[in-house]
Amino acid sequence: MEKLRVTAFKGSSESFCEALDEAQLKHSKVFHLSESVMASGLTIEIILHGGFGALAVACLAWVRYKKNRRINIRTKEGTSVWLEGYSAEDATKILEQAESIAVIETGPNESSKELEEK
């Protein structure tokens, strides 16, 4: 059973966990104990059953729902990739090479649908 850790920044952990729940991906929050200040967000550990396809779909759906969301993937080769504009198949291939993932939600919390209605 493969596990992948994601760092969630700027209050993105709740909405990202909801996207994981909708995709029926098991996950848990990892709390780090430290005596010093840590400059990172919340860590979420995702348990992958049967590959990266469901995670790719959940990530793409999360990013597309609001324009202020971004996912950065650092590959094992050291390349940084922003997961935007990819197909589910391409996103799956990128996630298979992931060493670390950061999910970021900044700015206003309006969904893409809400912005289109304005």
Side-chain angles (χ1 to χ4, degrees), residues 3-115:
K3 296 178 182 178
L4 184 62
R5 287 195 171 190
V6 174
T7 303
F9 293 94
K10 287 273 191 183
S12 57
S13 61
E14 186 176 326
S15 62
F16 188 72
C17 285
E18 287 173 5
L20 296 175
D21 289 339
E22 288 175 14
Q24 298 179 349
L25 290 165
K26 292 186 179 185
H27 58 89
S28 61
K29 295 177 182 175
V30 178
F31 296 96
H32 302 280
L33 300 176
S34 175
E35 293 181 6
S36 62
V37 177
M38 295 176 59
S40 67
L42 177 72
T43 301
I44 302 166
E45 186 172 72
I46 303 169
I47 301 167
L48 300 168
H49 294 284
F52 289 84
L55 178 58
V57 171
C59 287
L60 291 172
W62 185 80
V63 167
R64 290 177 182 153
Y65 186 71
K66 292 187 179 179
K67 292 184 179 191
N68 62 333
R69 294 179 175 176
R70 304 284 182 265
I71 295 179
N72 184 267
I73 299 170
R74 184 88 174 166
T75 67
K76 295 170 186 166
E77 292 82 31
T79 305
S80 180
V81 178
W82 290 99
L83 198 66
E84 296 174 10
Y86 287 98
S87 67
E89 183 178 320
D90 289 339
T92 300
K93 290 176 185 175
I94 294 168
L95 286 166
E96 287 172 347
Q97 300 302 313
E99 180 175 279
S100 65
I101 299 174
V103 296
I104 305 159
E105 184 171 358
T106 61
N109 274 340
E110 294 179 318
S111 70
S112 298
K113 293 175 186 176
E114 291 169 345
L115 290 173

